[in-house]
């Protein structure tokens, strides 16, 4: 009790708030809140605005095309330069050796792998938006290029006959002509991939990066890491296999590796295992004591130098038949135009390679952009890779993307910006023109082991799955499905399968009242994905509205025939009653609709049937357990003409089977688009649109409650109807 005997007033609950407002449909909201029409600029004004150019606007356009102008003036020399130098040297050594190794996957001479590790870095430095990507060859993309090269220039096209001193003819391969042709094919494919990526960038296809959800990216990059691991495993073991590509390629590669496991070179295996162990231990030390160690220990550089010295001193190639780099050519070739005549033959693989290369690059870029909190521009990345591949293709390179392991080296050794990439390009340049000979004794297994050791971070993503499962089972399933599909089907088909699976899970069901289904579609709806919307709709509601309508028409015609024969009769309340005679009109339903029969008009208004009850005719009419369908368009940014036409058809199809369709959480431009395309008529009005899904659900519940109050004989009618069938049967 308060002083003076007065009771203290109860304190308000400050941990919650209550909002009370009417249920708003689109029409009701517009009626209550007058909307000011925004004056649309005329065509002349739009053209003037687009063509006008101020100094500030020109600089903004230049910066958007050359992101280096945005970050380079802000470069922190004292804080970042040392880390970028160490990272660049480490990454450059790895890039040099990876270029040599991945050239084997493309089936071209080793020197062209060094070119591929050098030229794309120069253009990406100016055009890329990622601070950590190391651009260059990637094993899976290299395998894709190699499959095209081997299919268009197989060994059997270059057989020549040669006679020896004994007069016997031998069949040899003209390796000079073969290698020259393969280089032309690889560089032409690279040029075409660059053109495709440039076209995608010009058409603003880069928005697809928004739909690369984190679970999809995690599953995809983990699968890519596994592909890389298998590709490097055979180098660690020094076991030769065929270059497989496509569905189950990784399985075939593993089978062949284990079939030839007996030919493992012990010297290479020991060197590889020691390298993996040392690199992983030192990296763990770097991570645990990163606050005490001013600069991460560049273990990759140290291991490379030590391993090269040991291999040279012990002469591992001659004594133990170890696989070493052997020969690194010096100098550059002049630029060459692509063989345009080959474009038609390689357009399909070029398209898939362009998509996979971009997907890999953006996926890895998103991982590090999220980790270091900076944005990635998907369209600019397409332009950057497109120009890089066109430029590289002119210098006899093969397709460039990013490499998971090389990027991991660049980031884990302290790289802060693309200055590290420029320094790594300098290391590759030195290897090409001067010091490449020093790396010739290095074992390839050491390079492969460094690559494998740097995949640890990608493989650790597997531990995200239990967390995702606890938080959102759909996200966990996307991760698992994308990973498994990418491993089994290959990265190109696996990525496509993951995207489709992800889109299907985007159409989610929320908590729904009885008789109501809610569909959420979180992407623009247009001609390319309208079939996916239809499939998701059927899956969600559990029936096909067209089939339900046709079956109902068939049942109504049969009932009308029974009424004409006097076997059944209909009361004014629409209740079908027995006339006292035996029903002889039962027919078996073969689930086939007669197109001609469906054209016969029916008098649906004269006969009202409870379609969810047993019918007096044997027609398999699918049950419709809902009375309302809500489309949640909160994530739909636009509709095209095909989508509007399809949505109109969907509304009509559901309305004629007594299911009311509503659209909620739509953007204003959706209403305008529907009006422009003639969506509305006397039956389809704006009162089917609601501001939120909650508004729509409350409206439906109110309508159903009102209907039940106004129709108290509803249950009585249902009881009479069931009693009637008990008498018949």
């Amino acid at each position: 009790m308060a002083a003076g005997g007065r009771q203290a007033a109860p304190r308000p609950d400050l941990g919650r708030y209550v909002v009370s407002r009417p249920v708003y449909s689109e029409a009701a909201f517009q009626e209550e809140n007058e909307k000011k029409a925004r004056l649309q600029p005329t065509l002349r004004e739009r053209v003037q605005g687009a063509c006008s150019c101020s100094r500030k606007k020109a600089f903004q356009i230049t910066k958007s095309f050359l992101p280096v102008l945005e970050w380079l003036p802000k470069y922190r020399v004292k804080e970042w330069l040392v880390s970028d130098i160490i990272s660049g040297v480490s990454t450059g050594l790895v890039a040099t050796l990876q270029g040599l190794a991945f050239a084997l996957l493309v089936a071209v001479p080793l020197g062209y792998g060094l070119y591929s590790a050098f030229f794309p870095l120069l253009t990406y430095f100016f055009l890329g938006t990622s601070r950590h990507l190391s651009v260059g060859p990637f094993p899976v993309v290299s395998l894709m290029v190699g499959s095209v090269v081997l299919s268009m220039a197989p060994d059997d096209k270059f057989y020549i006959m040669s006679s020896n001193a004994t007069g016997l003819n031998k069949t040899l391969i003209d390796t000079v002509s073969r290698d020259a042709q393969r280089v032309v094919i690889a560089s032409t494919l690279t040029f075409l991939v660059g053109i495709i990526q440039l076209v995608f960038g010009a058409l603003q296809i880069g928005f697809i990066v928004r739909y690369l959800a984190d679970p999809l990216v995690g599953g995809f990059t983990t699968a890519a890491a596994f592909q890389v691991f298998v590709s490097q495993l055979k180098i660690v073991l020094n076991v030769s296999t065929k270059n497989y590509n496509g569905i189950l390629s990784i399985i075939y590669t593993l089978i062949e590796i284990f079939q030839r496991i007996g030919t493992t070179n012990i010297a290479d295996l020991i060197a590889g295992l020691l390298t993996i162990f040392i690199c992983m231990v030192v990296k763990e030390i770097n991570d645990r004591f990163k606050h005490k160690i001013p600069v991460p220990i560049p273990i990759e550089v140290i291991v490379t130098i030590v391993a090269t010295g040991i291999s040279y001193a012990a002469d591992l190639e001659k004594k133990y038949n170890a696989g070493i780099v052997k020969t690194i050519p010096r100098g550059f070739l002049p630029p060459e135009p692509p063989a345009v005549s080959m474009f038609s033959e390689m357009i399909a693989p070029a398209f898939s390679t362009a998509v996979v290369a971009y997907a890999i690059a953006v996926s890895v870029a998103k991982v590090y952009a999220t980790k270091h909190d900076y944005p990635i521009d998907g369209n600019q990345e397409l332009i950057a890779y497109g120009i890089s591949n066109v430029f590289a293709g002119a210098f006899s390179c093969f397709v460039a993307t990013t490499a998971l392991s090389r990027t991991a080296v660049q980031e884990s050794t302290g790289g802060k910006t693309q200055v590290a990439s420029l320094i790594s390009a300098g290391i590759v340049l030195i290897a090409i023109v001067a010091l490449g000979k020093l790396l010739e004794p290095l074992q390839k297994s050491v390079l492969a082991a460094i690559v494998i050791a740097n995949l640890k971070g990608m493989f650790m993503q597997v531990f995200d799955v239990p967390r995702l499962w606890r938080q959102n089972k759909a996200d966990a399933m996307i991760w698992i499905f994308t990973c498994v599909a990418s491993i089994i089907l290959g990265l190109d088909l696996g990525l496509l399968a993951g995207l489709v699976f992800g889109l299907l899970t985007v159409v989610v069901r929320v908590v729904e009242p009885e008789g109501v289904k809610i569909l959420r579609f979180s992407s623009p709806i247009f001609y390319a994905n309208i079939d996916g919307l239809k499939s998701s709709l059927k899956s969600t509601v559990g029936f096909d509205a067209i089939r339900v309508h046709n079956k109902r028409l068939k049942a109504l015609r049969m009932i009308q025939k029974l009424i004409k024969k006097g076997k059944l009769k209909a009361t004014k309340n629409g209740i079908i009653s027995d006339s006292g005679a035996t029903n002889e009109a039962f027919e078996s339903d073969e689930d086939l609709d007669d197109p001609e029969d469906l054209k016969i008009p029916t008098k649906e208004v004269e006969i009202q049937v409870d379609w969810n009850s047993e019918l007096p005719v044997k027609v398999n009419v699918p049950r419709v357990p809902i009375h309302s369908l809500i489309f949640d368009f909160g994530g739909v940014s636009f509709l095209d003409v095909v989508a509007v036409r399809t949505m109109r058809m969907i509304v009509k199809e559901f309305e004629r089977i007594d299911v009311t369709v509503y659209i909620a959480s739509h953007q204003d431009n959706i209403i305008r688009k529907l009006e422009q395309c003639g969506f509305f008529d006397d039956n389809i009005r704006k009162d089917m649109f609601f501001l939120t899904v909650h508004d729509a659900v409350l409206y439906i519940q109110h309508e159903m409650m009102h209907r039940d109050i106004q129709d108290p004989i509803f249950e009585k009618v249902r009881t009479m109807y069931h009693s009637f069938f008990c008498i018949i049967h």
Side-chain angles (χ1 to χ4, degrees):
M1 295 292 290
R6 288 181 299 176
Q7 187 174 0
R11 293 185 178 180
D13 185 358
L14 300 180
R16 57 184 300 191
Y17 68 88
V18 178
V19 176
S20 177
R21 67 166 176 81
V23 172
Y24 279 129
S25 67
E26 178 69 21
F29 183 78
Q30 295 297 341
E31 182 179 349
E32 186 173 316
N33 301 272
E34 182 180 356
K35 183 178 180 181
K36 294 182 179 180
R38 187 175 60 183
L39 294 177
Q40 296 292 335
T42 64
L43 177 61
R44 180 180 178 181
E45 291 172 339
R46 288 198 296 266
V47 171
Q48 286 179 342
C51 296
S52 64
C53 185
S54 63
R55 183 177 180 181
K56 182 178 179 182
K57 186 176 181 180
F59 186 61
Q60 290 295 332
I61 293 173
T62 305
K63 283 203 301 183
S64 66
F65 183 70
L66 293 172
V68 66
L69 298 177
E70 180 69 35
W71 62 264
L72 191 58
K74 304 174 184 177
Y75 189 81
R76 304 175 189 172
V77 177
K78 293 182 179 180
E79 297 179 37
W80 294 348
L81 185 58
V82 174
S83 296
D84 277 342
I85 290 174
I86 294 175
S87 174
V89 173
S90 302
T91 308
L93 289 172
V94 174
T96 299
L97 299 176
Q98 284 188 346
L100 297 172
F102 297 162
L104 298 174
L105 302 177
V106 184
V108 295
L110 297 182
Y112 295 93
L114 291 180
Y115 303 154
S116 302
F118 172 73
F119 285 106
L121 290 169
L122 304 180
T123 47
Y124 190 84
F125 174 83
F126 296 98
L127 300 170
T129 60
S130 173
R131 301 175 190 172
H132 296 90
L133 287 190
S134 176
V135 180
F138 180 68
V140 175
V141 175
S142 299
L143 284 172
M144 296 175 73
V145 176
S147 66
V148 178
V149 169
L150 293 174
S151 64
M152 295 181 66
D155 287 342
D156 55 15
K157 278 191 175 183
F158 301 93
Y159 285 144
I160 56 174
M161 300 301 295
S162 175
S163 58
N164 54 23
T166 61
L168 297 175
N169 291 330
K170 293 182 64 177
T171 302
L172 302 176
I173 298 176
D174 185 357
T175 56
V176 175
S177 299
R178 181 200 65 184
D179 290 346
Q181 181 68 5
R182 287 180 174 179
V183 169
V184 170
I185 294 170
S187 59
T188 299
L189 179 66
T190 302
F191 195 92
L192 183 55
V193 165
I195 292 175
I196 292 172
Q197 290 174 331
L198 270 176
V199 171
F200 283 176
L203 295 176
Q204 302 288 293
I205 305 296
F207 71 86
I208 192 174
V209 70
R210 302 173 190 169
Y211 304 109
L212 294 177
D214 288 343
L216 185 143
V217 171
F220 180 73
T221 52
T222 303
F226 188 67
Q227 294 263 22
V228 173
F229 171 78
V230 173
S231 72
Q232 303 302 299
L233 178 61
K234 61 183 182 182
I235 300 176
V236 171
L237 301 174
N238 197 0
V239 173
S240 61
T241 66
K242 298 177 183 177
N243 289 334
Y244 296 100
N245 189 38
I247 298 175
L248 297 178
S249 60
I250 196 168
I251 307 300
Y252 296 140
T253 302
L254 282 172
I255 290 174
E256 190 167 357
I257 287 174
F258 285 111
Q259 285 176 342
R260 302 189 178 186
I261 197 74
T263 64
T264 298
N265 186 287
I266 301 301
D268 285 331
L269 177 61
I270 293 174
L273 292 177
L274 282 175
T275 301
I276 292 173
F277 176 76
I278 292 171
C279 286
M280 293 186 72
V281 168
V282 175
K283 281 182 175 296
E284 187 66 25
I285 294 173
N286 284 339
D287 288 340
R288 290 196 176 187
F289 301 99
K290 59 184 176 183
H291 300 297
K292 297 182 180 180
I293 303 176
V295 178
I297 301 172
I299 187 60
E300 289 85 2
V301 178
I302 297 172
V303 167
T304 300
I305 295 173
V306 172
T308 303
I310 292 174
S311 177
Y312 176 77
D315 199 4
L316 295 179
E317 182 193 14
K318 291 183 178 179
K319 292 183 178 179
Y320 301 99
N321 198 27
I324 64 172
V325 174
K326 287 189 178 179
T327 304
I328 299 180
R330 297 183 180 182
F332 292 97
L333 295 176
E336 294 286 343
V340 180
S341 59
M342 295 181 179
F343 279 5
S344 59
E345 194 173 350
M346 58 176 59
I347 184 65
F351 183 86
S352 61
T353 304
V355 172
V356 170
Y358 171 70
I360 291 170
V362 174
S363 298
V364 177
K366 281 194 68 179
V367 170
Y368 290 104
T370 301
K371 181 177 179 180
H372 295 278
D373 192 25
Y374 62 86
I376 292 293
D377 186 336
N379 289 317
Q380 182 61 29
E381 286 296 294
L382 274 171
I383 293 172
Y385 277 99
I387 293 178
S388 295
N389 280 314
V390 168
F391 178 65
F395 285 92
S396 304
C397 303
F398 47 87
V399 177
T401 177
T402 189
L404 284 74
S405 55
R406 197 166 57 249
T407 299
V409 170
Q410 182 163 314
E411 191 267 346
S412 64
T413 52
K416 304 298 182 183
T417 67
Q418 283 297 319
V419 169
S421 291
L422 202 61
I423 294 171
S424 69
I427 298 297
V428 178
L429 176 63
I430 293 172
I432 292 173
V433 300
L435 302 179
K437 191 173 181 62
L438 297 178
L439 293 174
E440 291 180 356
L442 179 65
Q443 290 173 270
K444 294 179 183 177
S445 64
V446 173
L447 162 65
I450 292 174
V451 171
I452 291 173
N454 281 283
L455 293 175
K456 176 188 173 184
M458 294 298 173
F459 282 126
M460 292 297 288
Q461 294 179 126
V462 172
F463 295 101
D464 291 341
V465 177
R467 176 182 57 81
L468 286 173
W469 186 262
R470 291 191 300 270
Q471 295 175 351
N472 190 318
K473 291 181 173 55
D475 286 346
M477 291 303 299
I478 291 174
W479 197 105
I480 295 169
F481 182 89
T482 304
C483 184
V484 173
S486 299
I487 290 174
I488 295 176
L489 302 178
L491 292 187
D492 48 358
L493 293 178
L495 176 64
L496 177 61
L499 283 170
V500 171
F501 184 79
L503 285 175
L504 290 177
T505 59
V506 163
V507 183
V508 295
R509 305 180 190 184
V510 295
V511 178
E512 302 159 337
E514 184 179 357
V516 179
K517 285 294 179 186
I518 304 172
L519 261 71
R520 186 171 189 270
F521 204 77
S522 297
S523 72
I525 305 177
F526 57 107
Y527 67 92
N529 66 358
I530 197 67
D531 289 335
L533 174 63
K534 291 179 182 178
S535 300
S536 300
L537 175 59
K538 290 179 184 178
S539 173
T540 300
V541 300
F543 57 83
D544 183 339
I546 296 177
R547 183 172 182 271
V548 169
H549 178 67
N550 290 341
K551 289 295 184 180
R552 287 185 177 184
L553 289 182
K554 183 175 181 180
L556 282 172
R557 276 188 293 274
M558 296 176 67
I559 291 171
Q560 285 177 338
K561 290 178 183 178
L562 288 177
I563 293 173
K564 288 180 181 179
K565 292 179 181 180
K567 306 296 183 182
L568 293 173
K569 66 179 181 181
T571 68
K572 62 180 180 180
N573 293 325
I575 306 302
I576 302 172
S577 312
D578 186 18
S579 62
T582 306
N583 185 1
E584 299 173 354
F586 279 67
E587 297 181 10
S588 61
D589 179 31
E590 298 178 357
D591 205 31
L592 296 173
D593 296 326
D594 184 357
E596 296 298 326
D597 193 38
L598 290 176
K599 294 178 182 178
I600 302 174
T602 59
K603 300 179 181 178
E604 296 181 55
V605 294
E606 296 182 4
I607 304 175
Q608 299 298 326
V609 180
D610 183 355
W611 294 108
N612 290 325
S613 299
E614 189 175 358
L615 301 178
V617 289
K618 287 188 176 178
V619 177
N620 183 24
V621 180
R623 298 293 177 92
V624 179
I626 64 173
H627 51 72
S628 302
L629 172 64
I630 302 174
F631 284 95
D632 180 356
F633 274 16
V636 178
S637 57
F638 72 86
L639 303 170
D640 69 355
V641 176
V642 176
V644 173
R645 190 183 307 126
T646 303
M647 286 301 301
R648 181 180 171 84
M649 266 177 22
I650 289 173
V651 172
K652 295 286 188 181
E653 289 167 1
F654 276 85
E655 291 287 352
R656 67 186 184 182
I657 61 171
D658 303 319
V659 176
T660 307
V661 179
Y662 303 91
I663 296 176
S665 301
H666 53 279
Q667 300 178 22
D668 287 345
N669 66 301
I670 298 295
I671 294 286
R672 289 198 298 270
K673 187 66 176 179
L674 294 174
E675 288 175 337
Q676 292 170 1
C677 297
F679 179 80
F680 299 102
D681 58 22
D682 292 339
N683 296 320
I684 304 179
R685 301 190 303 271
K686 285 188 178 179
D687 56 7
M688 67 178 289
F689 290 81
F690 287 83
L691 296 190
T692 67
V693 173
H694 190 58
D695 283 312
V697 170
L698 290 176
Y699 174 81
I700 292 168
Q701 290 177 332
H702 177 268
E703 287 295 301
M704 296 306 298
M705 185 184 302
H706 183 71
R707 190 193 72 175
D708 291 346
I709 294 173
Q710 294 294 319
D711 190 12
I713 66 167
F714 181 76
E715 288 301 323
K716 181 180 179 181
V717 167
R718 182 179 291 273
T719 303
M720 292 171 60
Y721 192 68
H722 284 293
S723 300
F724 157 69
F725 284 110
C726 290
I727 296 172
I728 288 183
H729 298 294

